[in-house]
Amino acid sequence: MTDTFANPWTPREDIRITSVRAITTAPEGTALVVVKVETNVPGLYGLGCATFTQRWKAVETFVNEHVAHLLIGRYPGDIGDLTRLIAFTGYWRGGPVTNNAISGIDQALWDIAGKRAGMPVYELLGGKVRAAADTYLHASGRTIDETLGDAERLIEEGQRFVRLQQSTPGGGGYGAPRVPTEYPDAPYRDGWSARDYLRRTPALFEAARDRLPANIELLHDVHSRLTPKDAIWLARALEPYRLFFLEDVLPPEHWDRLPEVRAASPLPIAVGELTTSFTDAARLISGGGVDLIRSHVSDVGGLTPAKKLADLAEVFGVRTAWHGPGDTSPIGAAANVTLDVVSPAFGIQEGHVYNEATHDVFPGTLRIVDGWLTPNDAPGWGIDLDEVAAARYPAELSGHDAWAAGVRRPDGALEAP
Ligand code: GCO
Ligand code: MG
């Protein structure tokens, strides 16, 4: 009987995929999904990041029920064919659930390829063009003073790049703690006001330039909450403070207006963590609206498409800043830094300091040292998964949902998180 899903060539070696499983663990409370692909060669398996923390059960089911049977019996070296098979058999393509599932497989197969070759993945991609990736971490606080105090702590630890986020009433101002209401007469007293945010943010950066060393690079994440005109206003207001980048000024629905925003100010514009298709990310790069592309690698389908995006960015003079928050597994973080060291288009890497429980679950998890991230030299990603430890941290249905539902305007209208 012919196997409809088999590719029509004979594998170079008789190595076969024997099992494909999604494993979810939450050692920091945030659900992390990884895919484990096992083979008939004893001890030869790979791990890939498939973390869509808000909808982790959907990714788990997608991998275990819809993907595993397509791959069992296949040759793990045919990465491009296997990942296209997953995409095309669904007919409708793209989206975070599909792409995270594909990424889990894609990265696990690259891990296997590295282990077979006895090389880290960065060498399979052509090798290093830099020793390590410079990172930025997040400083936040209820007040300007608290935010800058947090930044000083990070600078003390060796960071040269810090993202500054300050609370504004209601929803916190993205990335900063929630503070008490300031709109007692409004229908929703604990609302978040874009006008108020626009007024406060330049003051934060003015104070930062006064207080922090001049060589420290400053970043800021708007988290997609502005209109194009407000975005231009903010970019211009922040010009004197020489930001390294201004992130996600517009929601994805208005990305066609990015060229206008970018042209209005010399401040570099970084966009892309909400891209959920390779082609959308490619169009951001080629469309003239971004200075840095910061896709979440698993949301565009894994290492293979992200490497193509890095190459495209190189051609267009755009730099990379791959999304790397706490809802990226340590395998995903390793994929990010792999891209960083192989690509001439590298701009900066968002870092996350994982807790010790995460290091127990994922032995080999990278640590930021003096602000730098350096990939493992071990074959593949050089990161393992201790399944017994992982099971000690079961995931719950996402706390991120509650956070995302928590931002409303003073008039009560739901705001993008
Ligand atoms: C960033 C982010 C994230 C996202 C988070 C959503 O790191 O720049 O915007 O923190 O909010 O990944 O789940
Ligand atoms: Mg962001």
Side-chain angles (χ1 to χ4, degrees):
M1 198 179 80
T2 47
D3 178 348
T4 325
F5 300 121
N7 54 26
W9 53 83
T10 310
R12 198 172 56 80
E13 275 184 70
D14 192 26
I15 299 178
R16 302 293 169 165
I17 295 171
T18 52
S19 142
V20 175
R21 274 179 306 136
I23 298 158
T24 307
T25 178
E28 276 181 14
T30 300
L32 303 175
V33 187
V34 291
V35 173
K36 183 168 187 173
V37 175
E38 291 169 284
T39 70
N40 60 344
V41 177
L44 180 64
Y45 60 87
L47 297 166
C49 184
T51 300
F52 176 10
T53 203
Q54 288 84 349
R55 299 291 183 263
W56 58 271
K57 261 184 193 286
V59 178
E60 249 190 23
T61 308
F62 192 110
V63 170
N64 296 340
E65 310 282 329
H66 291 292
V67 170
H69 75 96
L70 296 173
L71 304 187
I72 289 170
R74 311 273 162 248
Y75 176 60
D78 293 326
I79 304 176
D81 189 64
L82 295 179
T83 50
R84 278 154 60 87
L85 182 71
I86 302 167
F88 292 167
T89 51
Y91 185 55
W92 277 278
R93 301 192 270 282
V97 176
T98 300
N99 276 341
N100 269 287
I102 293 175
S103 165
I105 305 300
D106 174 76
Q107 293 183 8
L109 296 178
W110 277 103
D111 195 17
I112 291 174
K115 288 174 177 173
R116 288 175 62 203
M119 289 181 190
V121 177
Y122 67 76
E123 282 200 8
L124 300 186
L125 297 183
K128 288 182 179 178
V129 298
R130 61 177 49 76
D134 218 333
T135 64
Y136 73 88
L137 293 177
H138 309 167
S140 64
R142 270 171 282 265
T143 59
I144 290 181
D145 189 52
E146 236 181 69
T147 306
L148 298 185
D150 201 26
E152 282 167 338
R153 172 187 63 83
L154 295 175
I155 294 165
E156 186 82 1
E157 287 168 12
Q159 293 300 133
R160 287 160 293 281
F161 294 76
V162 285
R163 191 189 81 173
L164 302 180
Q165 305 294 133
Q166 181 209 346
S167 296
T168 50
Y174 172 71
R178 215 178 170 97
V179 289
T181 173
E182 277 194 13
Y183 309 104
D185 302 327
Y188 181 52
R189 299 162 50 110
D190 199 19
W192 181 87
S193 150
R195 305 303 296 175
D196 200 9
Y197 163 77
L198 287 177
R199 191 165 52 74
R200 289 169 196 249
T201 307
L204 166 66
F205 283 88
E206 186 182 5
R209 277 298 172 220
D210 265 359
R211 181 162 148 186
L212 304 179
N215 62 337
I216 295 301
E217 297 288 353
L218 305 176
L219 300 80
H220 181 66
D221 189 354
V222 177
H223 226 250
S224 309
R225 290 182 186 177
L226 295 179
T227 62
K229 282 292 180 199
D230 282 348
I232 290 172
W233 190 92
L234 181 65
R236 287 195 178 163
L238 292 176
E239 274 171 25
Y241 315 117
R242 308 182 308 281
L243 269 65
F244 183 78
F245 72 49
L246 183 61
E247 175 180 340
D248 281 346
V249 283
L250 302 183
E253 296 77 13
H254 300 148
W255 280 349
D256 53 344
R257 304 281 300 276
L258 282 169
E260 196 184 311
V261 178
R262 180 166 174 254
S265 162
L267 223 66
I269 297 292
V271 179
E273 69 184 56
L274 287 173
T275 47
T276 55
S277 105
F278 166 69
T279 42
D280 286 354
R283 284 189 187 112
L284 273 183
I285 293 170
S286 64
V290 303
D291 297 284
L292 295 106
I293 180 77
R294 43 181 287 98
S295 292
H296 188 106
V297 166
S298 66
D299 277 290
V300 292
L303 182 79
T304 307
K307 173 63 167 66
K308 294 178 191 174
L309 292 174
D311 294 342
L312 191 67
E314 185 185 344
V315 173
F316 278 90
V318 165
R319 287 177 300 159
T320 65
W322 307 111
H323 192 224
D327 47 337
T328 310
S329 74
I331 308 290
N336 284 343
V337 78
T338 294
L339 290 162
D340 297 338
V341 298
V342 303
S343 171
F346 171 72
I348 188 69
Q349 178 57 56
E350 180 177 24
H352 175 73
V353 178
Y354 292 101
N355 68 4
E356 288 310 310
T358 307
H359 285 267
D360 292 344
V361 174
F362 294 97
T365 293
L366 300 176
R367 291 181 194 270
I368 297 171
V369 181
D370 292 330
W372 298 101
L373 260 178
T374 311
N376 273 324
D377 288 335
W381 302 123
I383 298 179
D384 209 351
L385 170 68
D386 178 337
E387 291 195 49
V388 176
R392 285 202 291 270
Y393 304 101
E396 287 173 11
L397 283 175
S398 184
H400 277 62
D401 292 24
W403 154 73
V407 191
R408 284 179 183 273
R409 298 177 193 179
D411 67 7
L414 201 54
E415 182 69 75

